Each structure stands twice: as C-alpha cells, then as structure tokens.
C-alpha cells in the first residue's frame, strides 16, 4: 500500500508553486485556483506581506509554549476582539479544535452556573464542524460517524430553516445552538437573516448560548468580516480557522466575557495553539483583510460571480439546477455527478471543490479580479459544451 493512509481520494496533480490566484505544476502548467485550499488561501498564493512576516518571525522565535506570554498572540487576540462581538480568544491549530473549544466553553459555562445537566447542543443536518470525535457528533453526518462509535453524546439535529422544529428540540438539557451561517461542505447553503435572528431570539428566550461556526464563511469571504454581520445578530461563541492563517495552521474560538470567564487555568490548553510563528502570520493576514477596500472588493467580486453564475444557469438549464451561496462562497447545484465534473474542470485547468447535494463549490481567493471570474466561467461553460458534445456523440 501507499505509505500514506488512504483517507483521501486524491487527484494525481501535485503543485510546485503558487502565485496569486494560480497554482503551477512542476512542468509549469498553470491552474486557476477556485478552491483556495478549501477557503484557506484567502490572499491567494505567495502574498508578499504575509511571506515577509513569516520569514521575519522565523528568524526570531517560532515556538515557546503557552506557559509564557506570547506578544504576537496577544496582539492578534486584541485585534479580533476589537473587530467583533467577542471579548476573549483561544487559539488553536485547526478548525475542529476551535469547535472543540466552543463545545467545552458552552458546557463549562452551564456547569459553573450550577446547571451540570445542561450540556446538549442543537446542531443541523447538512452541517460540517470537523473530524474529531466530538465534531463528527456535532456534524451528525452518518457517513462520518459510521464505524467510530460510540458517538459522543450531547448533540441533537434538525434541518435548518424551521425555527419551530428547533424550539421543539429544546428541553432542560439544552445549552446551545451551533450553526454555520453559510453551510460550506454540506452544500453551500446560506441561512436567511431572519432565521439567524430567530435562533438568536430562541437562545435569549431559553437562556441558551448561540455558537456560530464561521470557519469557512468567515474572515471576509461573504463580503463582511464575518457572515453573521449580514443578519445583524451576534453569537456568544464563534469559531474561526481556514483563512485566519492564510495557509498556516491556525484557528480560534472567540467568546463574550460572560462566557469566556468560565475557562480558567486548567480547563483547556494546546501545545502549539497560537504560537509566535502562527500568530505573526495571523497578524499579517489580518493586516491585509483589514486594509482599506479589501472587504468591499470581496463584496463586489461576489456580485460579479453571482451574476455570471446566473447567466450560466440560464444558458445551461440542463446542467445547472440552482445557484447558491453568498459573496465568494458560491455553490452551483448541477446534474452531472459533481466529483466527475470537478475532475473534468481540472482538465480545463480550473480547480474547484465538490460539496454536498451534488453542488460545485467555488471558493476563489478573496483577491480574485473580474477577469479571473470570467476566465473561470468560460472554463465551466467549455466543460458543459464538452458534455453536450459527448451526449450528442453517444446518441448517434
Ligand atoms: C473546515 C471546517 C471545519 C474543520 O476545520 P479543520 O481545520 O479541518 O479541522 C469546521 N467547520 C467548518 C464550517 C469548516 O468548513
């Protein structure tokens, strides 16, 4: 067998270098990257400011452990607190660890308030929260929990969109609601603003915590710093990862003071989480995301992308059944099997990614320009034309 676990259905492609919105194989073939390492490379590849920050920090100190103060970490936390609902941050190396921290924080909050039996979290079908034992339980996707039982208890699920169905699940054990404002992996479903407002109201009514998982939809991708800003509501706890490190492993769990203060010394920890190297990169990424006009550019490009996808849907109704998403997290529900179609797009030198419900997921770097979007649309149209030609040939 291969020296690697066979956990990934990998393509044969390997890239040697990247530049902006493009990746290049060893023989110099360029690919337009609308995958962005699955919403990680928000600044594309080789952003000069981030590369310089990484190199500069590499010459100073990489890692010291959280036994010591880490100025780069404090700085990044202060900046995140200043730009969000949150008062405190816990840094992790990945998204799943950020969700683990969110779950622990919610449970510990009620434990500290004398409600030990209040530990259940309502989550949603079609969601994705990571691959650890607790986060596969939170995601509730049977394909990810099968064979890994016993499944971590304390999670209940319902389909998103129906507030009454959520309220029907609430009992004296319920402590929180956990939701992605835009479901990524599950099929690129943006939650309506009114629904997120309704969840906030339910949490307030029942004294529960609202947890937003913004690991994929946050950090500028929807055209706001965080996707929940569109709805005008704030959570009590929020998870962030993917784009926060621009490709360097980094994640974060953010919370209000009221909630975060239950996480005292000894309750949680991480060896690497928020080390100097990761946080130096994180600060440089944030410099770029918060630079004037950056997020406005994302919003504008999101509109361009949505317009083009509608055109594509009109031109190829036999292949496109629905266009979804928000800003630069876009989903195109298609009729051909999506994994095969993603492979076909690779032949056209376009990288995209599949999502649930046979959705083609487009996650361009946030630095994408109009001409890159047009180029991607042309490649998708060419792939549809090719399918048409193959169908015609088969019919002869
Ligand atoms: C990717 C993702 C995760 C898991 O992140 P990892 O870094 O792979 O652990 C969790 N939640 C959402 C919404 C994600 O998109």
């Amino acid at each position: 067998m291969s020296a690697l676990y066979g956990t990934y259905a990998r393509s044969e492609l390997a890239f040697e270098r990247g530049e902006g919105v493009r990746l290049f194989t060893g023989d110099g073939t360029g690919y337009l990257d609308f995958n962005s390492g699955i919403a990680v490379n928000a600044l594309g590849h080789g952003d000069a400011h981030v590369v310089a920050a990484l190199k500069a920090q590499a010459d100073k100190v990489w890692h010291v452990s959280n036994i010591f103060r880490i100025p780069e970490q404090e700085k990044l936390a202060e900046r995140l607190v200043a730009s969000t609902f949150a008062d405190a941050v816990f840094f992790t190396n990945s998204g799943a660890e950020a969700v683990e921290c969110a779950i622990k924080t919610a449970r510990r909050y009620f434990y500290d308030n004398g409600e030990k039996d209040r530990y259940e979290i309502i989550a949603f079908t079609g969601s994705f929260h990571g691959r650890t034992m607790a986060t596969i339980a939170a995601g509730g996707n049977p394909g990810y929990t099968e064979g890994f039982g016993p499944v971590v208890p304390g999670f209940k699920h319902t389909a998103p969109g129906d507030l009454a169905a959520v309220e029907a699940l609430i009992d004296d054990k319920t402590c929180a609601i956990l939701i992605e404002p835009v479901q990524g992996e599950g099929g690129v479903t943006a939650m309506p603003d009114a629904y997120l407002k309704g969840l906030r109201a339910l949490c307030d009514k029942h004294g529960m915590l609202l947890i937003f998982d913004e690991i994929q939809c946050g950090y500028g991708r929807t055209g706001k710093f965080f996707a929940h800003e569109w709805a005008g509501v704030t959570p009590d706890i929020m998870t962030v990862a993917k784009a926060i490190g621009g490709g360097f492993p980094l994640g974060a769990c953010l919370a209000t003071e009221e909630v975060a203060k239950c996480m005292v010394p000894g309750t949680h920890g991480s060896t690497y989480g928020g080390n100097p190297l990761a946080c130096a990169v994180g600060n440089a990424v944030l410099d770029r995301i918060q630079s004037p006009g950056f997020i406005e550019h994302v919003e504008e490009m999101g509109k361009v992308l949505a317009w083009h996808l509608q055109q594509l849907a009109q031109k190829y109704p036999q292949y496109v059944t629905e266009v979804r998403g928000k800003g630069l997290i876009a989903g195109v529900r298609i009729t051909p099997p999506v994994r095969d179609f993603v492979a076909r797009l690779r032949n056209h030198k376009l990288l995209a990614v599949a999502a649930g419900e046979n959705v083609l997921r487009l996650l361009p770097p946030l630095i994408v320009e109009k001409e890159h979007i047009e180029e991607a649309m042309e490649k998708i149209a060419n792939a549809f034309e090719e399918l048409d030609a193959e169908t015609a040939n088969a019919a002869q």
Side-chain angles (χ1 to χ4, degrees):
M1 75 186 287
S2 149
L4 293 168
Y5 260 42
T7 43
Y8 305 105
R10 296 178 198 270
S11 120
E12 284 300 314
L13 281 177
F15 298 105
E16 192 179 77
R17 63 184 188 89
E19 202 183 301
V21 298
R22 288 180 212 277
L23 278 169
F24 299 89
T25 55
D27 66 5
T29 310
Y31 288 75
L32 183 59
D33 187 6
F34 272 41
N35 170 8
S36 301
I38 317 188
V40 167
N41 303 304
L43 305 174
H45 302 278
D47 181 87
H49 179 64
V50 178
V51 171
L54 181 128
K55 286 181 174 167
Q57 188 63 40
D59 282 334
K60 294 187 211 164
V61 62
W62 295 22
H63 180 82
V64 294
S65 98
N66 284 299
I67 286 170
F68 305 101
R69 286 184 65 174
I70 300 173
E72 298 79 11
Q73 189 185 115
E74 289 173 18
K75 181 178 171 192
L76 184 54
E78 279 158 17
R79 296 175 72 190
L80 290 172
V81 162
S83 315
T84 64
F85 72 96
D87 301 306
V89 184
F90 181 90
F91 287 104
T92 66
N93 315 289
S94 69
E97 287 168 286
V99 178
E100 290 274 348
C101 180
I103 296 166
K104 284 182 69 174
T105 304
R107 287 187 175 183
R108 183 74 186 203
Y109 172 74
F110 287 98
Y111 175 91
D112 271 13
N113 288 346
E115 298 185 78
K116 287 192 180 56
D117 294 324
R118 210 164 164 190
Y119 57 82
E120 260 181 12
I121 295 176
I122 297 173
F124 297 88
T125 52
S127 65
F128 180 77
H129 299 295
R131 295 291 208 144
T132 62
M133 291 302 287
T135 57
I136 56 175
N141 180 341
Y144 295 165
T145 53
E146 194 188 336
F148 303 112
V151 176
V152 173
F155 299 94
K156 282 182 184 170
H157 298 88
T158 185
D162 181 351
L163 288 171
V166 175
E167 190 154 29
L169 289 181
I170 298 172
D171 60 26
D172 52 10
K173 285 197 173 61
T174 318
C175 75
I177 293 174
L178 166 63
I179 192 163
E180 296 163 80
V182 183
Q183 287 186 339
E185 157 125 0
V188 195
T189 308
M191 299 301 149
D193 294 349
Y195 185 64
L196 294 179
K197 281 199 178 94
L199 292 178
R200 178 71 267 176
L202 275 182
C203 286
D204 294 343
K205 179 176 164 193
H206 295 274
M208 307 182 323
L209 300 176
L210 182 60
I211 309 171
F212 285 151
D213 181 345
E214 292 239 15
I215 289 169
Q216 188 158 159
C217 62
Y219 243 66
R221 184 148 293 273
T222 66
K224 297 267 187 216
F225 190 29
F226 288 102
H228 67 261
E229 292 170 26
W230 289 106
V233 293
T234 56
D236 303 288
I237 304 175
M238 175 170 71
T239 56
V240 185
K242 294 200 163 91
I244 191 176
F248 198 95
L250 181 62
C253 176
L254 283 67
T256 60
E257 179 178 8
E258 162 75 7
V259 177
K261 66 177 195 255
C262 70
M263 298 301 277
V264 295
T267 54
H268 201 43
S270 167
T271 297
Y272 292 122
N275 82 6
L277 199 50
C279 288
V281 172
N283 275 303
V285 170
L286 193 54
D287 292 342
R288 295 278 285 109
I289 301 272
Q290 292 189 328
S291 63
F294 187 96
I295 295 208
E296 290 76 8
H297 173 78
V298 176
E299 189 184 356
E300 195 188 325
M301 289 303 111
K303 285 183 186 152
V304 171
L305 180 59
W307 184 84
H308 278 284
L309 291 176
Q310 288 302 342
Q311 298 296 111
L312 213 58
Q314 277 169 30
K315 191 155 179 216
Y316 301 98
Q318 70 275 40
Y319 297 128
V320 178
T321 56
E322 196 187 340
V323 176
R324 304 170 166 188
K326 204 165 191 123
L328 291 179
I329 173 167
V332 188
R333 199 168 185 189
I334 56 175
T335 51
V338 68
R339 275 161 219 288
D340 297 346
F341 194 71
V342 167
R344 184 181 289 273
L345 289 177
R346 279 199 294 268
N347 295 336
H348 291 266
K349 311 291 180 274
L350 174 65
L351 305 177
V353 59
E357 303 190 326
N358 214 55
V359 166
L360 176 69
R361 186 169 24 154
L362 301 175
L363 298 163
L366 305 185
I367 56 158
V368 74
E369 295 290 345
K370 201 164 173 263
E371 67 258 28
H372 305 130
I373 293 173
E374 286 162 1
E375 185 183 335
M377 295 304 115
E378 197 178 305
K379 289 176 188 294
I380 296 172
N382 288 343
F384 284 148
E385 294 289 338
E386 202 177 70
L387 277 173
D388 266 348
E390 284 169 22
T391 314
N393 277 344
Q396 273 173 14

